[in-house]
Amino acid sequence: MRTNKTALVLGATGGIGGGIAAALDRHGWTVRALVRDPANAAAKGGRLSGWIAGDAMSQADVISAASSVDAIVHAVNPPGYRDWHRLVLPMMANTLAAAKAAGGARVVLPGTIYNFDPARITVIDATTPQAPRTRKGAIRVQLERLLEEAAPAVPSLIVRAGDFFGPGVRSSWFAQSLVKPAQPVQRLLNPATGPGHSWAYLPDLAEAIVRLMEAGDRLDAFERVQFEGYCDTSGTGMVDAVRRAVGRNIPERRFPWWLMRLLAPFGGFPREVVEIESYWRHPVRFDNSRLVALIGAEPRTSLDTAVATSLSALGCLDRPATAPTPWAI
């Protein structure tokens, strides 16, 4: 059944944005997606019909696309993450202006762990002090502060989760380090240096976000919830799940953090990676108490099904995965 609600998704061609857009569509929302090239987006398999030409860096484009919507999903990043420090905050300012022009549409932001110092905390909830260790983390703190200052005139929802994996997620540690896309799994490059890393299976996360968006007046004007996902308490749980999906004992190597630290002074990828090493070294769990209070039990696909489905979508299995979760993308 269709609802009478409409959402604008910014970043619908990306992993998390596309996942939320698909979940909204399944729940009967009218979905608009602002993209630079609608024809190209549709040709790449997007099943949405509401592709709109525009640029998230253009306030006029965002305001026009958001006319009369109930929610704006802000899942957009600068192309190739270039000029991230310069473009991220203006993009959010455009979204807030569009939400206000639409009469107070709720802004939905997928949150990250980078707002926090994992060396000082082990559990994150809505009240956990934000003390980022990285440049991007500091910008994420500012991003959330913009949302808090805009409420209640513009309500917002931040859903924080761990590292994404799942169908449609290609820019991730799972798809770019742990395994290699489009080829059989021959080795596992594990970035974890200890137990306690948190993962978020995209279909589950997207389903949870849409259910939260439908919670209506039960949401605070400025709402921050945590998605628990899968916490690898042993540090080997994810690699063991990959081995079970593949059906054999794949050799494992540790990610060369030492080499990244050695090369970091020269900038580029090593410098960016070293900034987030601590998130793989220290255990952090997301407290989902508020999420459960709002929507009930967190959507949770079994780890083995989630991993097998993810590997199949990446072209890493020589056989189809088992039947996916009911809300799978």
Side-chain angles (χ1 to χ4, degrees):
M1 293 180 61
R2 307 301 299 177
T3 73
N4 60 354
K5 292 188 174 183
T6 300
L8 171 66
V9 179
L10 305 178
T13 56
I16 182 62
I20 297 171
L24 285 164
D25 182 68
R26 287 195 307 274
H27 277 251
W29 287 61
T30 299
V31 181
R32 303 175 193 166
L34 185 69
V35 294
R36 290 185 180 84
D37 188 343
N40 184 54
K44 288 185 175 180
R47 68 181 187 181
L48 303 177
S49 58
W51 299 105
I52 300 173
D55 189 337
M57 280 300 298
S58 166
Q59 188 170 114
D61 286 355
V62 182
I63 289 175
S64 176
S67 175
S68 302
V69 301
D70 299 281
I72 303 175
V73 177
H74 188 94
V76 64
N77 283 296
Y81 289 85
R82 293 184 299 272
D83 296 325
W84 205 87
H85 64 287
R86 186 172 60 85
L87 300 179
V88 167
L89 295 177
M91 291 169 80
M92 177 56 78
N94 292 345
T95 292
L96 288 171
K100 186 175 182 179
R106 186 176 290 272
V107 176
V108 181
L109 176 70
T112 74
I113 196 174
Y114 301 130
N115 303 52
F116 306 92
D117 182 353
R120 297 182 181 180
I121 59 170
T122 56
V123 179
I124 294 174
D125 64 19
T127 64
T128 303
Q130 299 192 9
R133 293 175 59 100
T134 69
R135 292 167 296 148
K136 286 186 174 67
I139 294 173
R140 295 293 303 199
V141 171
Q142 294 180 59
L143 204 65
E144 294 189 14
R145 189 175 296 127
L146 288 176
L147 292 173
E148 187 171 16
E149 292 171 351
V154 176
S156 56
L157 166 66
I158 299 168
V159 185
R160 202 178 313 283
D163 271 305
F164 302 155
F165 73 106
V169 183
R170 293 190 175 271
S171 296
S172 70
W173 282 95
F174 186 97
Q176 294 181 312
S177 173
L178 197 60
V179 301
K180 290 185 177 180
Q183 58 183 270
V185 183
Q186 302 295 338
R187 64 98 179 100
L188 298 168
L189 188 62
N190 189 1
T193 58
H197 192 76
S198 291
W199 298 87
Y201 182 52
L202 179 57
D204 292 346
L205 175 60
E207 177 71 15
I209 289 173
V210 175
R211 292 185 191 180
L212 286 164
M213 291 171 66
E214 294 180 338
D217 293 340
R218 287 178 290 152
L219 295 176
D220 291 337
F222 176 65
E223 185 73 68
R224 284 189 295 206
V225 301
Q226 327 305 313
F227 178 86
E228 184 179 43
Y230 170 67
C231 185
D232 187 350
T233 56
S234 68
T236 63
M238 183 59 81
V239 297
D240 289 343
V242 173
R243 286 171 174 146
R244 289 193 296 272
V246 174
R248 63 182 185 277
N249 188 20
I250 307 296
E252 173 190 354
R253 292 195 296 122
R254 294 294 176 181
F255 186 83
W257 292 108
W258 66 271
L259 180 60
M260 298 297 105
R261 289 192 294 271
L262 187 65
L263 297 175
F266 300 100
F269 176 75
R271 184 181 67 182
E272 299 297 321
V273 167
V274 165
E275 277 201 345
I276 62 173
E277 179 183 3
S278 60
Y279 298 100
W280 290 97
R281 186 175 296 279
H282 300 285
V284 176
R285 181 178 64 82
F286 294 94
D287 181 345
N288 68 351
S289 301
R290 176 60 174 165
L291 181 148
V292 171
L294 288 166
I295 66 171
E298 184 177 291
R300 185 71 57 84
T301 301
S302 73
L303 180 62
D304 282 359
T305 298
V307 167
T309 304
S310 302
L311 291 172
S312 180
L314 287 169
C316 295
L317 290 183
D318 56 6
R319 65 187 187 283
T322 55
T325 183
W327 47 79
I329 297 170

